[in-house]
Amino acid sequence: MDKWVRWAAEVRKVTMPYKIDTEELEREEMERVMVAESKTRERFNSEPVLDFYDLAQVRVFAEMLRSSEEIEGIEIEVAPDFDLTLHYKGGEQERYQLWLGQSNRPSVITKFERGDIVWRIPEHSTNRLIEVLGLDT
């Protein structure tokens, strides 16, 4: 029995780095995402067609922001696809406009109040956004 307990302890040490931290999931600061169809670049549509509360879906948008990289020297002249309102714990909100790419292609996003700064969203985040928005059919 003692030999088995030592063996189990060793297995636990080896697999510890791969453990899913459920507390980390609960620490996500973003708690709600409202998605509206965008009409123009100059005007924010605050009438959502989709509203996400589920942590797994909200995390897709949080990862979108975390994985984005600022790109310079780009000017977007076409209307965005979506207007996003991101709600955080404590009542803070941010508004973004999203130009959603096709599968396996990058997307771009701007903060509504700062349209002069553009961030590139990598392909894997685009794919997850397409999936969560239900556009993969």
Side-chain angles (χ1 to χ4, degrees), residues 57-76:
Q57 294 170 324
V58 168
R59 288 198 77 200
V60 171
F61 294 92
E63 178 59 28
M64 168 194 74
L65 292 181
R66 285 193 278 267
S67 67
S68 65
E69 297 177 356
E70 186 177 336
I71 52 178
E72 296 179 15
I74 194 166
E75 192 170 314
I76 303 171

Side-chain angles (χ1 to χ4, degrees), residues 8-116:
E10 289 301 313
V11 168
R12 194 172 297 126
K13 272 196 267 181
V14 170
T15 60
M16 188 65 75
Y18 303 104
K19 180 183 166 211
I20 296 174
D21 184 358
T22 55
E23 289 179 17
E24 176 192 348
L25 297 176
E26 293 171 6
R27 286 194 299 263
E28 181 62 64
E29 290 297 316
M30 194 181 297
E31 60 184 9
R32 179 181 181 194
V33 177
M34 296 167 51
V35 180
E37 290 185 55
S38 191
K39 308 274 189 230
T40 68
R41 177 131 190 214
E42 298 79 27
R43 206 163 139 221
F44 192 86
N45 182 3
S46 56
E47 297 178 23
V49 292
L50 296 170
D51 201 350
F52 297 104
Y53 289 94
D54 180 67
L55 182 59
Q57 294 170 324
V58 168
R59 288 198 77 200
V60 171
F61 294 92
E63 178 59 28
M64 168 194 74
L65 292 181
R66 285 193 278 267
S67 67
S68 65
E69 297 177 356
E70 186 177 336
I71 52 178
E72 296 179 15
I74 194 166
E75 192 170 314
I76 303 171
E77 297 184 16
V78 297
D81 298 304
F82 299 101
D83 292 337
L84 310 175
T85 305
L86 310 179
H87 297 260
Y88 295 90
K89 292 178 183 172
E92 185 181 337
Q93 294 181 18
E94 293 180 328
R95 300 186 308 169
Y96 289 88
Q97 292 189 306
L98 170 66
W99 287 260
L100 187 63
Q102 297 176 352
S103 293
N104 301 314
R105 307 287 284 179
S107 298
V108 294
I109 194 167
T110 62
K111 201 167 192 178
F112 181 67
E113 296 81 11
R114 292 292 317 263
D116 57 322

Side-chain angles (χ1 to χ4, degrees), residues 1-13:
M1 179 76 166
D2 187 44
K3 188 177 184 179
W4 185 86
V5 170
R6 283 191 304 231
W7 179 79
E10 289 301 313
V11 168
R12 194 172 297 126
K13 272 196 267 181

